Amino acid sequence: MLTFSIEKTDTPTDAKKRAEWLANPVFGRIFTDHMAIIRYSEGKGWHDAKITARKPLSIDPASTVLHYGQEIFEGMKAYRGADGHIKSFRPEANAERFAASARRMGMAVLPEDLFVQAVDELVRIDQDWVPSGEGQSLYLRPFMISNEVFLGVKPSTEYLFIVIGCPVGAYFGSGAVSVWVSEFFTRAAIGGTGEAKCGGNYAGSLVAQAEAKEKGCDQVLFLDARERRYVEEMGGMNIMFVRNDGKIVTPPLGGTILRGITRNSIIRLAADNGIEVLEEPVDIEEVFSGAASGKYTEAFACGTAAVLSPIGKLRRPSGEAVFGNGEPGPIAIKLKKILTDVQSGRAPDKHSWLHDIV
Ligand code: PLP
Ligand code: COI
């Protein structure tokens, strides 16, 4: 634990303006007034923890992050619960994954309790920014950049850890999303950085995401890099399929996909509700033939930003796979309700996933 010095902003957002923004928050465009920041230097360790006004960073042009991309981040949410208190969802799991990402990228490892503390401190000072509407929350973006002024290629000796927050509503509009299957671009190979939540993975995915958009789809789906045959995950979400035997199947964690916290939560909540989730390789050909034959009845995306978003169809150059009638399916709707009821405090928190902040 470190003690955070608190430097409140001199220019807080006008309450009326904030209320207008909170009524209809657009994902990732509006930010709270403050940020949490902690510095790391080799020899000195983590130090200089503070809450300060959210403002631009001053970075030396030779800072390592600008050249070699040592950057990792997390995505998590805090909710205004049914009891009026603000709670975050499974922050320890984000802290653990952040540490794993840091190790993979050769970066300094932030102690997990300090990660949670920094997020809590920011939410506490910006608590008026946590919206209370249906499907709304405060999205938190903890991230870390390397910041040594040096052009040699080696792990940095200096790091900046920062948390910013933005009020958000739904990531996708209503209805089912459409997904483009990327047959050329892949996201991650065995031994690569696929399991780390590093900015570079997203940089590499953007051309495929742009292709998806051009093809009229909301998101891109990546296949394995070796055979381009097995489903991996989407640009910013994990994926699950519902079969007509009532079971759900999702690609296994094997080092190339992100260990989604929503994925893990859904697997556990599904089990609580008598629905088995198989973590098995999913062959894209079987998905296309199974959607046509009725074996695959539903598909959905899961992630912090997307929560649980039903997928109506997959599209690829040779055709489409439409699940059911292309509308959100009953299992996806049911699981979304079960998950969001826990997150918002409407249902009992049997797994102790909610973390009290204020
Ligand atoms: N996969 C990718 C590539 C992601 O960016 C995300 C979002 O964070 C996920 C999966 C889902 O992870 P989580 O449920 O922990 O948000
Ligand atoms: C998240 O869900 O937190 C992500 O990082 C994914 C991105 C699409 C916003």
Side-chain angles (χ1 to χ4, degrees):
M1 288 269 204
L2 286 178
T3 303
F4 280 72
S5 71
I6 312 272
E7 295 167 14
K8 275 197 161 188
T9 178
D10 296 331
T11 52
T13 305
D14 171 62
K16 209 168 131 220
K17 182 95 220 144
R18 186 178 58 228
E20 262 170 45
W21 283 341
L22 291 194
N24 191 17
V26 180
F27 187 93
R29 291 260 183 223
I30 298 159
F31 299 92
T32 69
D33 285 331
H34 298 89
M35 63 185 185
I37 177 161
I38 316 176
R39 291 176 183 276
Y40 176 90
S41 317
E42 206 170 86
K44 199 167 175 190
W46 294 98
H47 63 280
D48 213 4
K50 62 180 167 207
I51 296 290
T52 176
R54 198 188 76 86
K55 56 176 182 270
L57 303 172
S58 166
I59 299 263
D60 190 283
S63 173
T64 43
V65 69
L66 301 178
H67 303 271
Y68 310 125
Q70 264 190 308
E71 190 272 353
I72 57 172
F73 67 96
E74 271 303 323
M76 50 189 286
K77 283 176 171 172
Y79 300 85
R80 195 175 288 281
D83 59 1
H85 290 285
I86 299 170
K87 297 158 209 271
S88 57
F89 184 69
R90 305 190 69 182
E92 311 82 9
N94 293 93
E96 190 184 333
R97 188 170 64 189
F98 194 70
S101 297
R103 280 185 209 103
R104 175 62 185 85
M105 304 307 288
M107 301 171 86
V109 177
L110 180 72
E112 293 171 30
D113 56 350
L114 197 48
F115 175 103
V116 175
Q117 189 192 353
V119 172
D120 288 359
E121 297 274 0
L122 178 67
V123 174
R124 225 170 271 132
I125 197 156
D126 281 335
Q127 56 185 271
D128 291 345
W129 287 86
V130 183
S132 56
E134 175 67 33
Q136 297 181 340
S137 57
L138 184 68
Y139 182 79
L140 295 148
R141 175 53 64 87
F143 66 101
M144 178 161 64
I145 58 169
S146 62
N147 197 27
E148 185 178 348
V149 179
F150 182 50
L151 292 186
V153 183
K154 63 156 192 78
S156 172
T157 55
E158 306 270 330
Y159 294 93
L160 277 182
F161 169 76
I162 300 177
V163 190
I164 54 174
C166 47
V168 298
Y171 189 76
F172 295 116
S174 57
V177 300
S178 56
V179 176
W180 174 251
V181 181
S182 177
E183 292 191 334
F184 178 71
F185 299 111
T186 59
R187 181 183 172 277
I190 294 160
T193 59
E195 202 176 58
K197 203 161 165 63
C198 60
N201 287 344
Y202 296 79
S205 78
L206 297 179
V207 65
Q209 174 61 32
E211 184 179 78
K213 201 131 208 190
E214 193 189 296
K215 303 293 180 186
C217 295
D218 303 296
Q219 260 288 314
V220 61
L221 174 66
F222 291 105
L223 303 175
D224 75 286
R226 204 198 313 242
E227 296 185 64
R228 289 187 178 72
R229 174 173 165 198
Y230 295 103
V231 172
E232 294 249 301
E233 64 180 323
M234 296 197 273
M237 297 119 214
N238 293 113
I239 190 166
M240 297 195 181
F241 299 91
V242 183
R243 297 193 318 209
N244 62 358
D245 60 2
K247 293 185 180 159
I248 293 176
V249 58
T250 192
L253 302 173
T256 56
I257 68 173
L258 201 74
R259 294 175 165 269
I261 295 160
T262 318
R263 175 188 181 281
N264 176 272
S265 306
I266 290 172
I267 291 173
R268 293 167 69 180
L269 291 173
D272 292 348
N273 286 273
I275 303 172
E276 194 179 347
V277 181
L278 308 171
E279 296 178 78
E280 287 176 1
V282 179
D283 185 329
I284 193 69
E285 296 309 327
E286 268 184 39
V287 172
F288 272 76
S289 61
S293 71
K295 181 178 172 195
Y296 282 80
T297 56
E298 296 180 41
F300 57 86
C302 48
T304 297
V307 190
L308 189 161
S309 299
I311 296 171
K313 63 179 171 220
L314 300 185
R315 185 175 284 166
R316 61 179 179 180
S318 60
E320 283 189 348
V322 179
F323 300 98
N325 59 6
E327 297 298 319
I331 304 278
I333 291 171
K334 176 175 167 177
L335 286 173
K336 181 176 178 181
K337 180 167 181 343
I338 291 170
L339 174 66
T340 54
D341 279 355
V342 174
Q343 289 171 332
S344 63
R346 286 190 297 260
D349 178 24
K350 285 202 296 197
H351 298 281
S352 302
W353 284 338
L354 295 178
H355 167 80
D356 290 311
I357 301 180
V358 61

